[in-house]
Amino acid sequence: MAAAAAMATSRGGKQRQPLLQSPTPAAPNGGGAAGRRRFLAFLAVTAALVASYQLLEPTDSSRYRALFLTLGSNATAAAHLRALTLRPHVAGTEANAAAARYVLHAFSSLSFPAHITPYSVLLSYPAHRSLTLAAARGLAAKPFSLVQETYNGDPFAEASAEVIPTYFAYSASGSVAAEVVYANYGHNEDYAYLASRGVDVAGKVALVRYGDIHCEDMVRNARAAGAAAAIVYTDAKDFGGGATRGAKRKWFPDARWLPPTGVQVGTLYYGNGDPTTPMWPSCAAGDDCERLSAEDLSGSEAMPGIPALPVSARDGDTILKAMGGDVAPPKWQGGEDAPVYRLGPGPAVLNLTYIGNETLATIENVYAVIQGKEEPDRYVIIGNHRDAWTFGAIDPNSGTAAMLEIAERLSKLQAKGWRPRRTIILCSWDAEEFALIGSTEWVEENMDTLASRAIAYLNVDISVFGPGGLKPRATPQLDELIKEASKMVPDPDEPSQTLYDTMMRHHPPITRVAGAGTDFAAFLQHIGVPSLDMSYGLFEEYPVYHSLYDDYVWVERFGDPLFHRHVAVASVWGLIALKLADDEIIPFNYVSYASELEECTKDIAEKCKGFPVTLSPLQKSIKQLESAATKIHQEKLLQAENWSLKTRQYTLKVREINDRLMMAERAFTNREGLAGRPWYKHMIYASSDQDDWGTKAFPGIVSAMDKAKKSNTTESWRSLQHEIYRVARAVSKASAVLDGGLT
């Protein structure tokens, strides 16, 4: 305990308070006899796969990986999740600091060197909110309570009092009284449709429903259309089990659906990291670091610029019933029993006031280090964020529970004599929900070291949504590794199948880490570290996202009653980390990267038909990448055949191959970044500039092409051609790194 107490002193010297008490691990409830039979079958298939794995690969590292698979514990994952979700823990609060101490203690109790790194960053909380519907269409004026209601028997009802009132972080403060215009999901195309129907949005309150795009894009689009404020509601059609509305409709706790008073909160800051320190790291409280002023921030395009509030389905229905104007098109309508949705404007008038409290607060990253034996200067980084808008049982602490379960397995491997070849770092990030702040500040602070030492970043934000199979997204050189690891883990919902079998039914089975939305962004899109993010199940199975109802009860009843999905994700996540840490030659395959880019280029070429641009520079550079990737793949095979030599020349050659494999992803970055978005350095993968969650290959080309189509000017076509050349140069740089020679 003395050692743990010493480790609990932060970099800034602040002594931490006593840790949360962890409950005694116990087998999770729920699932019934059928569920127990599935879990026993899952264990039996795991044992069979482990046995075959040992026969196929009788090396020390493969035996340790096989042992790792046998050490999974659903009770351990359940106990960690229960402890982490006893209270709501928004970044910057005492409850989240307690959660940080819990994770620190979990790492330290496993004898892993661990510590907390604090940063002082700008966070945003609500000081005052009010929303009133003025009298209209024979209806009396109605003030909205803006409260998410607890349910009968809610074991967390008392803790719910700690939940921060529903709001959007970084919303502009102000008061607006104006007619309402309904704008569907708030796409730019939706506002274009309203304009085509003669509906003027200028000076009005835009009412949009959550879905399709992130709330920050919804509010940005509303501002661009001239709206004075925005209201975002959760339509029961999308999140409330819309097919079974009315008397038959059920919601949590009786079904997985979002209750009528449920509200999805979020952030409106259109950037990554601390808003006061864009492009450079923040510092601990009391240290001296450069910051933008409040005036600088108020005029920033990254801020939403207008007041905005999230509201429930019930409140959204009330507003829509008071609206007039033309009937909205069929695709804009709600589900069964919903009111007829009309475009407006008015006669509904909303009086909205929001006053925010933007303040510098301390956030805390927690990380543990398992020192590598042969290559301690090479890092395999595992990460998950810890902070949550409310209880965070699915988002993000299902991932935290899986990461801590991995840590316990690795500790047991150490007790059996295992030492990783390369260093493994386990990271618990803070303030991800506000703007990926914790991971971004850490990457910006350690950028040069990470750029020269990081092998890969392996992220799991949400480990389990519910049923639906493994859903990985990654940079393409990790594809084969994901497939190999997933073949070793049975699917918890279909134990006769592996995760690989069920994953390959998806189209595509592995998607790309292009959109932002979670903590791989700084690693991949800012400094070019190969990255992975994965989860189990479908987002559609998780309608309580970012609401009061994302609690342990929802996980027990609907997300993962037996916690065997948590164990499965931890197994494949840990296997990938072990392969990257222990394989003598890093298991990257850039041949698949070249194939991926070739397919993406075909798509771009199809969209550019008839345009005054040429894609030949990009096509040529991809052929170079294919050649270099094939060459290094053959070198890897040759070195693998000579593994028993162990001469100095062999060791140096392996190191040289590994350096080329590790650094090739860095070459896809450009120091100037994307046009208008300099933080995003990666030329191949980044979020769309119209949708922060959207997945786009060649984002610079796609953005320039969209602009050229709209303006059709000589200058715009020249800009598109310039972006094609920029991407071609990045691909050629990566080819040169893989090739290993000088021109």
Side-chain angles (χ1 to χ4, degrees), residues 562-603:
L562 294 173
F563 282 81
H564 55 338
R565 295 167 186 154
H566 282 76
V567 172
V569 171
S571 293
V572 72
W573 192 8
L575 279 179
I576 292 169
L578 286 171
K579 285 280 289 181
L580 289 167
D582 286 339
D583 279 14
E584 192 167 46
I585 298 177
I586 299 170
F588 286 166
N589 184 347
Y590 279 90
V591 175
S592 61
Y593 215 132
S595 299
E596 176 86 7
L597 297 191
E598 187 173 19
E599 289 302 310
C600 292
T601 303
K602 289 178 182 177
D603 181 60

Side-chain angles (χ1 to χ4, degrees), residues 52 191 197 625 682 723:
S52 65
Y191 289 103
R197 294 288 299 271
L625 180 65
H682 208 281
E723 288 299 327

Side-chain angles (χ1 to χ4, degrees), residues 133-284:
L133 178 65
R137 300 187 65 173
L139 300 174
K142 176 176 176 54
F144 295 102
S145 66
L146 305 179
V147 172
Q148 301 184 84
E149 297 174 358
T150 58
Y151 53 91
N152 290 334
D154 183 356
F156 302 106
E158 184 176 347
S160 295
E162 298 181 41
V163 171
I164 290 178
T166 53
Y167 78 116
F168 283 137
Y170 306 107
S171 169
S173 295
S175 295
V176 173
E179 292 180 316
V180 185
V181 170
Y182 172 53
N184 195 27
Y185 291 109
H187 292 280
N188 284 326
E189 293 81 359
D190 294 331
Y191 289 103
Y193 174 80
L194 289 172
S196 73
R197 294 288 299 271
V199 177
D200 186 8
V201 181
K204 307 298 192 299
V205 176
L207 176 68
V208 296
R209 52 181 173 177
Y210 216 120
D212 278 8
I213 58 176
H214 194 254
C215 56
E216 65 202 54
D217 296 295
M218 293 177 178
V219 176
R220 288 176 79 238
N221 293 345
R223 180 184 67 179
I231 297 292
V232 180
Y233 78 101
T234 46
D235 198 311
K237 176 182 178 180
D238 300 309
F239 297 96
T244 55
R245 292 180 61 131
K248 297 180 181 179
R249 186 174 158 218
K250 294 182 179 181
W251 51 77
F252 183 68
D254 299 314
R256 68 173 58 248
W257 301 107
L258 185 70
T261 63
V263 177
Q264 295 184 11
V265 302
T267 184
L268 301 184
Y269 177 61
Y270 200 76
N272 291 348
D274 174 21
T276 69
T277 60
M279 304 292 290
W280 67 88
S282 185
C283 54

Side-chain angles (χ1 to χ4, degrees), residues 507-681:
H507 302 287
I510 302 172
T511 57
R512 298 298 160 222
V513 277
T518 194
D519 290 302
F520 62 76
F523 289 91
L524 173 65
Q525 295 162 358
H526 195 58
I527 61 174
V529 175
S531 295
L532 158 74
D533 183 63
M534 63 181 175
S535 58
Y536 188 97
L538 302 169
F539 179 75
E540 293 78 10
E541 297 293 326
Y542 171 49
V544 297
Y545 173 72
H546 283 190
S547 75
L548 172 70
Y549 311 101
D550 183 4
D551 64 16
Y552 187 83
V553 175
W554 193 92
V555 176
E556 272 195 316
R557 295 189 182 182
F558 307 110
D560 191 10
L562 294 173
F563 282 81
H564 55 338
R565 295 167 186 154
H566 282 76
V567 172
V569 171
S571 293
V572 72
W573 192 8
L575 279 179
I576 292 169
L578 286 171
K579 285 280 289 181
L580 289 167
D582 286 339
D583 279 14
E584 192 167 46
I585 298 177
I586 299 170
F588 286 166
N589 184 347
Y590 279 90
V591 175
S592 61
Y593 215 132
S595 299
E596 176 86 7
L597 297 191
E598 187 173 19
E599 289 302 310
C600 292
T601 303
K602 289 178 182 177
D603 181 60
I604 293 292
E606 183 67 27
K607 292 176 179 177
C608 284
K609 275 185 177 179
F611 297 162
V613 295
T614 176
L615 288 168
S616 60
L618 179 56
Q619 293 162 336
K620 181 180 178 181
S621 69
I622 292 172
K623 292 297 182 184
Q624 293 172 342
L625 180 65
E626 183 179 19
S627 177
T630 301
K631 174 187 173 183
I632 198 168
H633 186 67
Q634 292 170 344
E635 290 182 59
K636 285 171 56 181
L637 295 176
L638 180 61
Q639 290 303 118
E641 292 175 2
N642 296 330
W643 68 270
S644 60
L645 298 177
K646 300 300 181 184
T647 63
R648 174 172 172 77
Q649 182 179 7
Y650 169 84
T651 301
L652 290 175
K653 181 61 177 176
V654 168
R655 178 76 170 194
E656 187 259 347
I657 289 174
N658 283 339
D659 284 349
R660 289 153 57 192
L661 291 167
M662 180 179 71
M663 298 304 293
E665 190 73 48
R666 315 286 196 271
F668 288 124
T669 62
N670 181 293
R671 63 184 179 184
E672 296 174 357
L674 297 179
R677 297 192 293 162
W679 188 88
Y680 291 94
K681 308 293 185 187

Side-chain angles (χ1 to χ4, degrees), residues 35-47 490-492 494-496:
R36 286 191 290 275
R37 287 195 296 272
R38 285 198 305 273
F39 188 65
L40 290 173
F42 171 76
L43 294 178
V45 175
T46 299
D491 189 300
E494 298 185 52
S496 64

Side-chain angles (χ1 to χ4, degrees), residues 383-398:
N384 160 267
H385 78 93
R386 180 187 66 257
D387 67 295
W389 287 119
T390 60
F391 294 99
I394 290 290
D395 181 10
N397 296 128
S398 65

Side-chain angles (χ1 to χ4, degrees), residues 129-135 141-144 146 174-180 205 229 231 309 348-354:
R129 313 159 305 138
S130 66
L131 183 68
T132 301
L133 178 65
K142 176 176 176 54
F144 295 102
L146 305 179
S175 295
V176 173
E179 292 180 316
V180 185
V205 176
I231 297 292
L309 276 177
V349 171
L350 284 176
N351 293 302
L352 180 157
T353 297
Y354 177 80

